[in-house]
Amino acid sequence: MIKVAVAGCIGRMGSTVVETVQAADDLEFVCGIDPYAENTPYPSFKTIGEAVDACDFDVIVDFTQPSAVADNIRTALAAGVNCVVGTTGLSTETLEELASGAPEGVCLFYAPNFTTGAVLMMQFAKAAAPFFPEAEVIEFHHARKKDAPSGTAVRTAQIINAARNRSSEAPGKETEIDGCEGARGALVDGVPVHSVRSMGFVATLEVIFGSMGQTLTIKHDSWDRTSYMPGVLLGIRSVGEREGLIIGLENFML
Amino acid sequence: MIKVAVAGCIGRMGSTVVETVQAADDLEFVCGIDPYAENTPYPSFKTIGEAVDACDFDVIVDFTQPSAVADNIRTALAAGVNCVVGTTGLSTETLEELASGAPEGVCLFYAPNFTTGAVLMMQFAKAAAPFFPEAEVIEFHHARKKDAPSGTAVRTAQIINAARNRSSEAPGKETEIDGCEGARGALVDGVPVHSVRSMGFVATLEVIFGSMGQTLTIKHDSWDRTSYMPGVLLGIRSVGEREGLIIGLENFML
Amino acid sequence: MIKVAVAGCIGRMGSTVVETVQAADDLEFVCGIDPYAENTPYPSFKTIGEAVDACDFDVIVDFTQPSAVADNIRTALAAGVNCVVGTTGLSTETLEELASGAPEGVCLFYAPNFTTGAVLMMQFAKAAAPFFPEAEVIEFHHARKKDAPSGTAVRTAQIINAARNRSSEAPGKETEIDGCEGARGALVDGVPVHSVRSMGFVATLEVIFGSMGQTLTIKHDSWDRTSYMPGVLLGIRSVGEREGLIIGLENFML
Amino acid sequence: MIKVAVAGCIGRMGSTVVETVQAADDLEFVCGIDPYAENTPYPSFKTIGEAVDACDFDVIVDFTQPSAVADNIRTALAAGVNCVVGTTGLSTETLEELASGAPEGVCLFYAPNFTTGAVLMMQFAKAAAPFFPEAEVIEFHHARKKDAPSGTAVRTAQIINAARNRSSEAPGKETEIDGCEGARGALVDGVPVHSVRSMGFVATLEVIFGSMGQTLTIKHDSWDRTSYMPGVLLGIRSVGEREGLIIGLENFML
């Protein structure tokens, strides 16, 4: 049994992590940590220092705030606790500095994206890109999403471009009819990206590769934060077998 | 048995029509007409005048040239032969003038698009548009297609806009990230249209409607000129029950 | 302003209807009705009789129980209130009997399905079926759904079969490899139906029509009960223009 | 420049290979080989023995017959020519025996499937399977295809099952409604496989993986034998860097 604590335990993501750990047969949920925790139906502490002093756990999962996460990690690593971190706002430099203070055999795992399917989609796009002359990305989000294209779509286009060892052959925006500019999408590193914004979607991303007489499509749909949980569980189960700094769920997947 | 002649019988489209008519149990292929016809394995004539004099047929299918089609229609209608016309380049005015010379009970049927699925797709888009706040069009064609968006995509967007009795609520291009202009597609009559150009596609068009908690998608794929044949057969079988000018396959479908 | 009451106002569906009516500019939410209503932030009554005596409203929306719905409808119609009913368990005979007691100009509207997209999908399938030799249905639901195929998939197959004026040409189960029985799906009225059951889906249904060189696909996705709301609003707005019994949302859509 | 000969040069696949090699900037087409070759617009020979004696080439591509392929390979390898073989009907034992006679530095490359997208699809399915509790396969082929499921679908299901280190959790056929057996598809190694047969399709295969709150879909479409050509080119360009027996295009792709 891997013993697990959860920092940010009463937040939206943290509380889902608590439920998920409690439901897993091979994990033991030890305690929650949150400055706002009150009357939780499980042991909880205001600070990670108190938790480390009072309880024994192998892994801490951190979904807190940019202002809190660095101190949490520092305290946990010093206590020999492996870290699984999903809180955003940490630079690679900060992560490296934090990991440099870790005792031997202790691991700091950080992932910008815990959705297993999205991580695989990007890895598959990287693997397919060299073999297909053409690639386009279409992403679908709810109409309330303010920016276009999405961050994941931009990253996917960048990954595709980097994996091709040639400049793009994407047919260009010069083919657009006057008054219909934008039909061919946004060219991100030579990859056309199209953004659909509509009620009825949550988050879908599709990569379409084209070659002679064939297409290969990789599509990922996710619709709520439970899509992060398989990745969080994978992190908890894998972090004990590594040490030092590991960035990205793909390190545990391929 | 409906007796059928085919004008343009040795062209790409015409020769496919000949085969299709020959294969249909309820149709009799009588003769072909083409100025370049030589040694055809069936009766053929250089001009429609010769064909009308020599043979008896109920319907003529015309896939010829803009320069020839008007004379063909005039001669056929005068002889009491119903016309099924797929040759492009005829204005509505010309069609009306030609039909005005038709004897009673004779029909001139013209369709800009004989693909049954594409015609239904546009009709369904028209029917759905009033009930969905949002609609987007994505079309996929081979990379050699020079223009974007496709003509069918533009027409579909116009149909959707006309069927909504309000101005569009499509979230706009103002949400695009700097340097990524075009992500939200081309706004055609308030409907975002996205054009994918890639090897491995022939002709696909997808209309996506969004509303609270749901999406409705209508998608049409076609991959060669045989996709015109069900519509040509429908025209041949339906034209005898009508008279005067009829424009558009939807008149025989809904 | 159309004045609206909601029966079953504290149920899952009813409470969503209350919010939706409150958010609509052209509707006025007057009161809720529910035997379990307590301390609601709006006027509410235990029975429809009390509501009718105390308030004035044009339309009642009923999402209650099979045991309560008939009495609710009878009381509402007698008071000259139009009814929009989504409660299941009413036979056509009961609906006809209830409607026969309605005063002139008052309408009883019942719909087995309020999802606008699903209703259109079935109507479009009916319209397309005569023009395509082949049709198959694929439906995708969460793995917890116990039955296969879904009721909507079965109804869609029946609609397709009825709309074709010929027996099916669906290639049959005789092509299945030994040991792989079921590959060709369930034949429902001659239409192959395939059921996918997997985590990550809510409710998706896809009808695929095939003809020479083309396919036409109609797909509906819905992911929560808000997908009922556009249909409920359409019912509320349309019911005042009709009288007597109307069954099915398609009567207000085509 | 890699010098290439093509055995089976006047067959359907072979003649497409000839055109593809001629069109590639980095390849030189030297000669064709075919017992039925007559008046070809390029140098051709009746047997591989004659070709080897008369011309100098680095690679031979073989799309011939089960009865001819073994002798072709034996002669080519003995002459120090690398082989790219797509002819079916060779057992692994025969391939091993043939390769054992190859001089040092010469390679025998055989692929059961040269379609780059199909090979990647299977590799991606293998990589994703351990991370998703559920997987289903849907394949779409023309109605004339006699068997169901397709061979590629069966292989994909087997690959998925082998990659999961647990027995399947696929919800079973016990959920099917009486009279609708087959809705849940064919269970191939615990993976439900659904086969659509319809006009308008050529060859499409879709793998759908499901997990908490997400799905990952990998889809491959191909529509004619040109889809083999990128794989044949990859084989020609890669075979010179290897030696001995290599089976499967994935060895040059990942």
Side-chain angles (χ1 to χ4, degrees), chain B residues 64 153 220 241:
Chain B
T64 59
H220 182 253
E241 296 160 17

Side-chain angles (χ1 to χ4, degrees), chain C residues 124-147:
Chain C
F124 294 166
K126 185 179 172 180
F131 302 104
F132 286 83
E134 289 159 325
E136 307 214 1
V137 174
I138 312 178
E139 48 100 351
F140 308 75
H141 281 88
H142 198 278
R144 286 188 305 256
K145 183 171 174 63
K146 288 292 177 214
D147 54 319

Side-chain angles (χ1 to χ4, degrees), chain A:
Chain A
M1 296 284 273
I2 303 172
K3 295 180 179 176
V4 182
V6 176
C9 63
I10 67 168
R12 288 199 320 163
M13 191 62 77
S15 58
T16 307
V17 173
V18 170
E19 288 167 28
T20 303
V21 170
Q22 286 174 329
D25 287 344
D26 60 333
L27 306 181
E28 180 186 339
F29 175 66
V30 173
C31 65
I33 301 156
D34 202 303
Y36 302 106
E38 299 270 0
N39 302 320
T40 52
Y42 48 75
S44 65
F45 301 89
K46 300 287 184 190
T47 69
I48 192 163
E50 294 171 44
V52 163
D53 288 347
C55 301
D56 179 37
F57 44 88
D58 307 306
V59 177
I60 187 164
V61 180
D62 190 294
F63 280 96
T64 60
Q65 301 292 330
S67 60
V69 60
D71 277 346
N72 285 353
I73 293 171
R74 198 171 284 117
T75 307
L77 291 177
V81 174
N82 294 306
C83 296
V84 172
V85 180
T87 310
T88 53
L90 286 164
S91 67
T92 305
E93 290 70 33
T94 305
L95 286 165
E96 284 171 349
E97 181 247 302
L98 288 166
S100 70
E104 204 170 316
V106 179
C107 182
L108 166 55
F109 171 61
Y110 167 77
N113 192 338
F114 274 93
T115 309
T116 44
V119 170
L120 286 175
M121 180 202 65
M122 283 187 266
Q123 295 296 310
F124 295 166
K126 184 179 173 180
F131 302 104
F132 286 84
E134 288 158 325
E136 306 215 2
V137 173
I138 312 178
E139 49 100 350
F140 308 75
H141 281 88
H142 198 278
R144 286 188 304 256
K145 183 171 174 64
K146 289 292 177 216
D147 53 320
S150 74
T152 305
V154 170
R155 269 200 303 281
T156 304
Q158 292 167 336
I159 287 168
I160 290 168
N161 183 58
R164 303 174 179 183
N165 54 357
R166 55 179 173 71
S167 53
S168 175
E169 298 174 18
K173 303 169 86 62
E174 71 277 5
T175 63
E176 294 171 346
I177 294 170
D178 278 350
C180 293
E181 288 76 15
R184 291 288 294 116
L187 271 180
V188 178
D189 280 15
V191 177
V193 177
H194 310 270
S195 300
V196 174
R197 293 287 173 271
S198 174
M199 296 167 78
F201 284 105
V202 181
T204 295
L205 193 146
E206 198 170 347
V207 187
I208 301 170
F209 289 102
S211 181
M212 275 188 268
Q214 61 179 317
T215 58
L216 177 67
T217 304
I218 305 163
K219 183 177 179 179
H220 182 254
D221 290 270
S222 65
W223 46 280
D224 66 23
R225 65 183 169 278
T226 65
S227 67
Y228 267 49
M229 294 306 121
V232 170
L233 290 174
L234 183 63
I236 295 171
R237 287 168 180 147
S238 304
V239 77
E241 296 159 17
R242 303 291 188 91
E243 67 177 339
L245 177 63
I246 294 181
I247 298 179
L249 200 60
E250 61 274 20
N251 292 287
F252 299 146
M253 298 190 78
L254 296 171

Side-chain angles (χ1 to χ4, degrees), chain B residues 128-249:
Chain B
F131 302 104
F132 285 84
E134 288 158 325
E136 308 215 1
V137 173
I138 312 178
E139 48 101 352
F140 307 76
H141 281 88
H142 198 278
R144 286 188 304 257
K145 183 171 174 62
K146 287 292 177 215
D147 53 320
S150 73
T152 306
V154 169
R155 270 198 303 281
T156 304
Q158 291 167 338
I159 287 168
I160 290 168
N161 184 57
R164 302 175 179 183
N165 54 358
R166 56 178 172 70
S167 53
S168 173
E169 298 174 18
K173 303 169 85 64
E174 70 278 4
T175 62
E176 294 171 347
I177 296 169
D178 277 352
C180 292
E181 287 76 15
R184 290 288 293 118
L187 270 179
V188 178
D189 281 14
V191 177
V193 177
H194 310 270
S195 300
V196 174
R197 293 288 172 269
S198 174
M199 296 167 80
F201 285 104
V202 181
T204 294
L205 192 146
E206 198 171 348
V207 187
I208 301 170
F209 289 102
S211 180
M212 274 187 269
Q214 61 179 317
T215 59
L216 177 66
T217 304
I218 305 163
K219 182 177 180 179
H220 182 253
D221 290 270
S222 66
W223 46 281
D224 66 24
R225 65 184 169 277
T226 66
S227 67
Y228 267 49
M229 294 306 121
V232 171
L233 290 174
L234 183 63
I236 294 171
R237 288 167 181 148
S238 304
V239 77
E241 296 160 17
R242 303 291 187 92
E243 68 177 338
L245 178 62
I246 294 181
I247 299 178
L249 200 60

